[in-house]
Amino acid sequence: MISLYEGGVYLVNGSQIVPEAEAANVKALLGKDADKEEARKGTIAYSILKEHNTSGNMDHLKLKFDAMASHDITFVGIVQTAKASGMERFPIPYVLTNCHNTLCAVGGTINEDDHMFGLSAAKKYGGIYVPPHIAVIHQYMREMMAGCGKMILGSDSHTRYGALGTMAVGEGGGELVKQLLCDTYDVAYPGVVAVYLEGRPMPGVGPQDIALAIIRSVFKNGYVKNKVMEFVGPGVASMSTDYRNGVDVMTTETTCLSSIWRTDEDTKQYLSLHGREDDYRKLDPAELAYYDGCVYVDLSKVKPMIALPFHPSNTFSIDELNENLGDILREVEKEGEKIGKGKALFTLTDKITNGKLMVQQGVIAGCAGGNYTNVIEAAHALKGRSCGWDEFSLAVYPSSQPVFMDLVKKGAVSDLMEAGAIIRTAFCGPCFGAGDTPCNNGLSIRHTTRNFPNREGSKPGNGQMAAVALMDARSIAATAANGGILTSALELDCWDSIPAYEFDSASYDNRVYQGFGKSDSEKELVYGPNIKDWPQMSPLSDHILLKVCSKIMDPVTTTDELIPSGETSSYRSNPLGLAEFTLSRRDPEYVGRTKEVDRLEKARVQGTDPAELEPELKVIFDQIRKLSGQEAVKPADIEIGSMVYAVKPGDGSAREQAASCQRVIGGLANITKEYATKRYRSNVINWGMLPFQMEAAPEFEVGDYIYVPGIRKLLDGDLKNIKAYVLGTNVKEITLYLADMTPEEREIVKAGCLINFNRNRIQKNPARNK
């Protein structure tokens, strides 16, 4: 079904894979020897990156994007940051969608206040504003913005439009601010991995099945981590572009940097249908292209899949699961015990009835599940059938109003409703815990993007726990038709009879504010009472003292654990308000600990000796003075901040708040073995925290102090072998390091955060952002 090549490969004429170890065979095929460095330039990714690179050096990219996108739990902070940095207009098309806090269901007026802020920002700075319920962020960008050879940056991790020939990247808000200030996205040239598709998916096998099969093969071994996945091979043509979109959006769950697909007449037809035929161009690898790896996928052998809690990589075919139901579910229950921590119970084996798994809920939604092709297939499966009157329920969220409109015209909506499904508007809530939360101890099957712990909206700390398994819309519909008994789509015979989609732009024409190029500086931003400015952050001192305020030894820590999703999203426009939830589901004592450290640092900045407020610091400062070369260091010269240790933090969302929430209440560094994603590490840097790493196991505990002398000077060096000291009962020397940082990133950390960095530049050159 899926195999991974060891080492690099050459792709000849887009159809023949030659492992690098057999490079001599290239001459027999092409009549010339393989030139590896030249062949690297033969990928689609290389050509697009070259077109967008402004550095003149393809090893060190400085990229400018064609367009950007944000939603309503990120755009307020981005606009506020860019405004504080001197932005006067949006220099490129910037789409502000309202698909996350859409329902305005919690927090009083604050969700709609954010929406009104977004509209006012679009008017003032020249943006594109998509009102609530009109489209989820990624569907709008597919329909109206993506095009062949383009690059798009989004403040959402699932910013993926590769199936439309667009290299898209999901990052934290700081990276979007840089583009708004006409700066660049700086990254070393990434590895490029071929995803070679052959064959055709079986009827009933959907895009989520293909995606989950790939994720299972590449996530845990990091095969494509921070690389570009380039989809090639004859199998691409076996799938419609709408189907390809469903595979592509899930590439985020592999931890790759971006994705790109070869394009063809179906891509052209999709763009033409949406009134954008001029955005088409044929993209193919050159006659010889070199890839840093290859994922070979025989599409014809992929079966309906299920990703069990609590990660998209915890994947089995539905057949595998049913054959080993008890054993597999007991392993998931063990993970559930760790997450519940004795406060909440989650069980699965009790849901086995007559050898089958009974689920409580189904959801088809968002940028992955709500596409036209998925919903129309689900409607065909349920036509004339019933979801039943028992505990199982099904909700379907079309991904945009145009999709919804065509589903209505074709009778699919009435077929779904007649079967007992509930139809809702375009909304991302089920993807991040703000919609259709299952019952306590319930299992929801969803064609959405993630099934991390608590992302379905449960609260284990309050004794409430549920979980999500990811599945394709087709198998979810088959399960619904079977009253909630887990059922593979292959058990039905109703697939692949999909009427052509007819796009109608009327809902966009009549509701979306198209303001790009129409900025009006006289307009005022509309602020609600919850929209707060970023608090002041100090520049980095010569020396730092870190107090360990949390130590997380889990193999991976998600951004959802660093800052919860769900109803806390209502506070995303209030930095200090949101920070109260930092690590609340993983380490509830963290906020209190770090705020105490922040109190000491604020006292130091005001000229008070922190040891007067915290007696244990007298011992710590004495230990510092006894270190070689530190005799003359004074407490006033030592910045005090909190630190989080995690083995591998940052898997998941691009949300910058996973880092900024630590920073605004005293955070000064993370120490890790490795960072799960580039985007989380970038967020740490943009918020002025030091992204330390260490090879050794951590020989410190919560409450210990770590002293790093001469940190500002160290940031001007090679960043390797940084000497630090664990202080307390004993003094222990440890070695830290910082992975490569660009000159700008080093200066951002020195300045204390990206906002300070930009303010400093404007003071030196007031005309810079004019």
Side-chain angles (χ1 to χ4, degrees):
M1 180 171 69
I2 295 181
S3 57
L4 307 181
Y5 280 73
E6 291 187 15
V9 303
Y10 292 93
L11 183 64
V12 182
N13 293 322
S15 61
Q16 291 178 280
I17 302 169
V18 179
E20 185 176 359
E22 303 170 18
N25 294 334
V26 170
K27 189 170 184 178
L29 295 168
L30 288 181
K32 61 183 179 181
D33 291 328
D35 182 333
K36 180 176 176 178
E37 292 310 309
E38 192 63 27
R40 283 187 184 277
K41 301 176 184 178
T43 65
I44 303 169
Y46 182 92
S47 65
I48 296 175
L49 290 169
K50 189 174 188 297
E51 288 178 6
H52 291 80
N53 181 34
T54 64
S55 73
N57 181 350
M58 287 299 289
D59 291 329
H60 301 284
L61 304 174
K62 288 182 172 291
L63 301 172
K64 288 201 170 185
F65 290 81
D66 298 296
M68 299 199 306
S70 293
H71 50 65
D72 49 341
I73 59 176
T74 56
F75 65 59
V76 175
I78 291 167
V79 171
Q80 289 279 73
T81 303
K83 171 177 170 284
S85 301
M87 177 192 67
E88 294 186 351
R89 62 180 179 84
F90 296 158
I92 58 176
Y94 185 20
V95 177
L96 310 178
T97 68
N98 294 272
C99 53
H100 278 59
N101 282 335
T102 308
L103 298 181
C104 304
V106 294
T109 70
I110 61 179
N111 295 158
E112 185 66 4
D113 292 345
D114 286 350
H115 300 162
M116 291 301 99
F117 177 93
L119 178 58
S120 69
K123 292 178 178 178
K124 182 176 181 67
Y125 298 116
I128 299 165
Y129 176 84
V130 183
H133 305 284
I134 299 297
V136 300
I137 178 173
H138 303 309
Q139 184 65 11
Y140 184 85
M141 297 304 287
R142 293 167 185 154
E143 293 175 344
M144 305 306 294
M145 303 298 292
C148 301
K150 290 185 178 182
M151 290 195 76
I152 291 176
L153 183 65
S155 56
D156 183 273
S157 59
H158 292 101
T159 305
R160 292 285 189 271
Y161 317 122
L164 293 164
T166 297
M167 281 187 68
V169 180
E171 280 282 357
E175 295 302 322
L176 279 79
V177 169
K178 292 175 185 176
Q179 296 287 311
L180 292 176
L181 299 176
C182 299
D183 286 335
T184 56
Y185 177 75
D186 301 347
V187 64
Y189 185 82
V192 183
V193 173
V195 183
Y196 189 89
L197 304 180
E198 194 161 58
R200 173 185 295 274
M202 289 186 283
V205 170
Q208 188 82 324
D209 299 316
I210 306 299
L212 292 176
I214 293 172
I215 292 165
R216 176 171 71 169
S217 298
V218 303
F219 174 77
K220 291 178 182 176
N221 57 25
Y223 193 79
V224 298
K225 181 179 175 181
N226 292 333
K227 296 181 174 68
V228 177
M229 297 175 73
E230 184 160 308
F231 288 76
V232 294
V236 171
S238 73
M239 300 177 284
S240 71
T241 300
D242 196 50
Y243 189 109
R244 297 174 205 173
N245 285 334
V247 178
D248 184 61
V249 72
M250 291 297 291
T251 61
T252 296
E253 303 313 317
T254 68
T255 69
C256 74
L257 178 70
S258 186
S259 64
I260 190 69
W261 294 55
R262 62 179 298 268
T263 61
D264 55 19
E265 284 300 309
D266 198 85
T267 322
K268 182 178 181 180
Q269 182 181 354
Y270 182 97
L271 292 168
S272 298
L273 180 66
H274 292 85
R276 297 190 295 112
E277 185 173 348
D278 290 345
D279 283 332
Y280 174 75
R281 80 176 196 237
K282 188 170 178 58
L283 299 177
D284 265 318
E287 67 172 3
L288 182 64
Y290 176 82
Y291 295 90
D292 298 285
C294 180
V295 182
Y296 174 86
V297 183
D298 184 343
L299 295 169
S300 67
K301 294 184 179 178
V302 178
K303 292 183 176 181
M305 309 294 284
I306 180 169
L308 291 169
F310 295 90
H311 197 276
S313 64
N314 190 23
T315 296
F316 304 85
S317 72
I318 293 176
D319 289 345
E320 286 177 305
L321 175 62
N322 283 333
E323 289 168 5
N324 304 278
L325 199 55
D327 291 342
I328 293 173
L329 295 185
R330 276 188 284 273
E331 289 301 309
V332 178
E333 287 178 335
K334 291 177 183 177
E335 287 300 308
E337 288 176 10
K338 296 177 184 177
I339 294 163
K341 294 181 178 178
K343 295 183 178 180
L345 180 67
F346 178 72
T347 56
L348 284 171
T349 50
D350 60 333
K351 298 173 178 60
I352 301 174
T353 303
N354 297 324
K356 298 288 186 178
L357 179 63
M358 181 71 193
V359 299
Q360 286 65 58
Q361 183 194 71
V363 176
I364 300 169
C367 56
N371 296 3
Y372 170 81
T373 302
N374 296 328
V375 178
I376 203 83
E377 291 255 63
H380 289 169
L382 282 166
K383 185 176 178 64
R385 294 184 168 96
S386 169
C387 296
W389 45 259
D390 212 329
E391 61 187 41
F392 179 83
S393 64
L394 175 65
V396 179
Y397 297 70
S399 56
S400 70
Q401 285 287 75
V403 169
F404 201 162
M405 288 167 63
D406 200 41
L407 291 168
V408 169
K409 292 173 184 176
K410 289 184 167 62
V413 169
S414 58
D415 288 341
L416 287 165
M417 294 176 72
E418 184 178 292
I422 303 300
I423 311 300
R424 308 194 195 278
T425 52
F427 178 40
C428 298
C431 294
F432 72 100
D436 282 314
T437 306
C439 63
N440 183 54
N441 203 38
L443 177 65
S444 178
I445 52 173
R446 300 188 177 188
H447 192 155
T448 56
T449 54
R450 288 202 174 115
N451 61 338
F452 293 168
N454 320 139
R455 201 172 169 92
E456 71 296 309
S458 61
K459 295 182 178 181
N462 293 348
Q464 307 160 15
M465 188 168 171
V468 165
L470 300 180
M471 286 170 51
D472 188 82
R474 293 149 191 79
S475 290
I476 293 173
T479 300
N482 205 8
I485 296 172
L486 187 71
T487 304
S488 166
L490 298 186
E491 295 190 26
L492 298 184
D493 184 19
C494 58
W495 311 114
D496 287 357
S497 178
I498 303 170
Y501 174 56
E502 298 171 72
F503 174 75
D504 184 344
S505 66
S507 57
Y508 290 161
D509 298 339
N510 292 325
R511 284 294 295 142
V512 174
Y513 176 76
Q514 297 286 347
F516 179 63
K518 305 173 186 177
S519 60
D520 184 351
S521 60
E522 299 301 313
K523 295 287 186 181
E524 296 292 332
L525 292 173
V526 177
Y527 287 87
N530 186 60
I531 298 175
K532 307 293 184 183
D533 290 328
W534 293 103
Q536 189 71 34
M537 283 160 273
S538 301
L540 185 68
S541 291
D542 291 331
H543 316 281
I544 58 173
L545 181 64
L546 306 172
K547 187 166 188 178
V548 184
C549 285
S550 188
K551 181 181 177 184
I552 304 172
M553 298 303 294
D554 298 344
V556 178
T557 302
T558 68
T559 47
D560 280 33
E561 292 172 291
L562 293 167
I563 185 66
S565 56
E567 81 282 4
T568 60
S569 299
S570 297
Y571 299 94
R572 292 285 162 79
S573 303
N574 182 342
L576 291 174
L578 181 64
E580 294 292 330
F581 298 95
T582 312
L583 281 171
S584 58
R585 292 178 184 167
R586 185 61 188 79
D587 186 355
E589 305 303 316
Y590 166 79
V591 169
R593 296 186 196 117
T594 188
K595 288 171 79 171
E596 180 58 27
V597 176
D598 193 42
R599 181 178 72 93
L600 299 175
E601 170 59 13
K602 284 182 167 61
R604 183 193 71 86
V605 171
Q606 295 298 319
T608 300
D609 183 348
E612 294 180 8
L613 303 177
E614 179 52 71
E616 70 177 355
L617 284 178
K618 293 179 181 178
V619 174
I620 299 300
F621 288 144
D622 284 342
Q623 290 178 330
I624 289 173
R625 283 188 287 268
K626 292 176 183 177
L627 296 172
S628 177
Q630 303 300 302
E631 298 84 358
V633 173
K634 301 175 183 178
D637 301 324
I638 304 173
E639 183 174 356
I640 306 172
S642 68
M643 184 276 287
V644 171
Y645 177 88
V647 175
K648 189 177 179 180
D651 186 25
S653 171
R655 69 178 72 113
E656 66 187 272
Q657 294 91 347
S660 66
C661 282
Q662 297 172 47
R663 179 63 169 142
V664 299
I665 51 174
L668 190 53
N670 282 185
I671 299 179
T672 74
K673 184 174 178 62
E674 65 174 308
Y675 288 89
T677 57
K678 174 200 172 295
R679 55 183 174 265
Y680 176 68
R681 184 174 182 268
S682 295
N683 288 336
V684 170
I685 292 169
N686 285 330
W687 285 103
M689 294 194 294
L690 288 145
F692 286 125
Q693 292 176 246
M694 63 185 296
E695 294 290 346
E699 296 185 41
F700 47 75
E701 301 298 334
V702 171
D704 287 344
Y705 287 91
I706 298 174
Y707 177 63
V708 186
I711 186 62
R712 284 187 71 92
K713 185 176 181 180
L714 288 168
L715 282 169
D716 294 325
D718 66 5
L719 309 180
K720 300 174 183 176
N721 299 317
I722 296 171
K723 188 180 295 185
Y725 302 90
V726 180
L727 307 176
T729 306
N730 299 299
V731 177
K732 292 179 287 187
E733 183 177 316
I734 61 173
T735 300
L736 307 175
Y737 70 95
L738 293 162
D740 286 345
M741 296 172 67
T742 67
E744 290 82 2
E745 287 176 331
R746 297 176 193 227
E747 293 304 316
I748 289 168
V749 172
K750 287 182 186 177
C753 65
L754 181 62
I755 296 173
N756 293 355
F757 172 74
N758 287 321
R759 283 175 178 161
N760 294 343
R761 290 196 302 173
I762 292 171
Q763 289 174 0
K764 294 176 182 177
N765 181 10
R768 175 180 172 82
N769 291 326
K770 299 295 184 185

